[in-house]
């Protein structure tokens, strides 16, 4: 479903809460390394344009709060989105990057098989069965999904924004809408794509919009 702002109010006796999940903008990463939670990886020029697009898209929504992963690329994106609403983004550690990425941090994606033979293939082919991951995809989905649930409770009947990362957003989206985590790599969120989830009696995906820039 695509369209304008989600209408907030009563639905089947429940207050509707809306959480807009936004992947951060493109990162300045000329060497194509796994940046994971490393310092020094901010938005590229294109990423700043994408963040501006997301901010413009969400400017018409009655946003009550903006939350972000503690990592710089997410905080930069959240700052742009929060500006039209005169809000200061709040850091939410629970929506930080998947701990699996820290295992590979600093290595070029192209060299992962040299240092960790077979792991990239396993990640791409069977994300649910990664026995080498310091955090399983199930644990990731529960971590981020619970954080989104808590925000919906805290901001009942309101709209909030959460700026996070590709796999955490995808895992939480699948978990909250009761889809199998084996679909992790199917139709993953693009940079600054806005995935709007609404919760009344349960969670559903209300809309999904991505920048063209």
């Amino acid at each position: 479903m695509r369209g304008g702002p989600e209408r907030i109010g009563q639905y089947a006796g429940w207050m509707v809460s809306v959480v807009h999940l936004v992947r951060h903008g493109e990162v300045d990463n000329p060497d194509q390394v796994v940046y994971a939670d490393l310092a020094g990886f901010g938005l590229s020029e294109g990423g700043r344009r994408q963040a501006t697009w997301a901010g413009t898209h969400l400017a018409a929504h009655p946003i009550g709060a903006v939350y972000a992963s503690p990592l710089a690329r997410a905080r930069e994106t959240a700052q742009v989105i929060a500006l039209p609403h005169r809000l200061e983004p709040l850091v939410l550690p629970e929506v930080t990057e998947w701990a699996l990425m820290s295992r590979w941090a600093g290595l070029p994606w192209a060299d992962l098989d040299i240092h960790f033979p077979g792991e990239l293939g396993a990640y791409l082919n069977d994300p649910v069965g990664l026995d080498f991951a310091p955090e399983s995809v199930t644990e990731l989905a529960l971590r981020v999904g619970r954080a989104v649930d808590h925000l919906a409770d805290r901001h009942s009947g309101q709209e909030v924004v959460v700026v996070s990362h590709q796999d955490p957003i995808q895992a939480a989206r699948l978990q909250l809408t009761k889809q199998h985590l084996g679909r992790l790599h199917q139709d993953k969120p693009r940079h600054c794509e806005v995935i709007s989830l609404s919760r009344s009696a349960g969670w559903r995906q209300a809309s999904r919009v991505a920048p063209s820039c």
Side-chain angles (χ1 to χ4, degrees):
M1 173 180 174
R2 297 176 186 272
E6 179 79 10
R7 293 188 179 276
I8 298 176
Q10 295 290 334
Y11 179 79
W14 296 77
M15 287 296 292
V16 177
S17 301
V18 178
V19 178
H20 303 283
L21 299 175
V22 182
R23 184 188 175 193
H24 61 80
E26 178 188 76
V27 173
D28 187 8
N29 181 21
D31 296 324
Q32 296 298 301
V33 303
V34 182
Y35 39 71
D37 56 359
L38 298 175
F41 287 90
L43 297 183
S44 66
E45 182 179 344
R48 288 189 288 274
R49 287 197 300 269
Q50 292 163 343
T52 298
W53 176 90
T56 300
H57 172 72
L58 289 166
H61 291 251
I63 303 299
V66 177
Y67 294 86
S69 156
L71 302 182
R73 55 194 183 270
R75 289 188 287 108
E76 285 183 55
T77 304
Q79 193 74 49
V80 175
I81 292 172
L83 187 61
H85 307 282
R86 299 183 180 181
L87 296 170
E88 189 63 32
L90 302 171
V91 172
L92 188 65
E94 292 85 353
V95 301
T96 196
E97 181 63 276
W98 189 2
L100 170 62
M101 298 299 132
S102 297
R103 178 178 175 86
W104 302 333
L107 294 172
W109 283 96
D111 292 347
L112 283 185
D113 272 340
I114 298 173
H115 300 275
F116 296 98
E119 291 192 1
L120 179 59
Y123 162 75
L124 294 173
N125 294 316
D126 184 18
V128 177
L130 305 179
D131 57 5
F132 55 83
E135 178 183 41
S136 71
V137 71
T138 301
E139 291 167 332
L140 171 67
L142 290 173
R143 165 166 65 84
V144 183
R146 285 169 180 160
V148 171
D149 245 333
H150 291 159
L151 290 181
D153 290 338
R154 185 182 304 170
H155 300 277
S156 180
Q158 298 180 338
E159 297 188 42
V160 298
V161 175
V162 176
V163 182
S164 183
H165 309 270
Q166 187 176 55
D167 283 339
I169 288 174
Q170 180 77 330
R173 181 181 73 86
L174 293 172
Q175 191 263 335
L176 290 169
T177 59
K178 302 188 185 305
Q179 300 180 63
H180 195 275
L181 291 174
R183 301 183 61 191
L184 185 75
H185 298 305
Q186 297 180 25
D187 198 19
K188 297 177 81 167
R190 296 160 56 189
H191 287 115
C192 281
E193 184 165 6
V194 180
I195 298 174
S196 303
L197 302 182
S198 65
R199 191 189 73 176
S200 51
W203 286 100
R204 69 179 183 90
Q205 184 171 298
S207 65
R208 183 171 180 174
V209 188
S212 58
C213 57

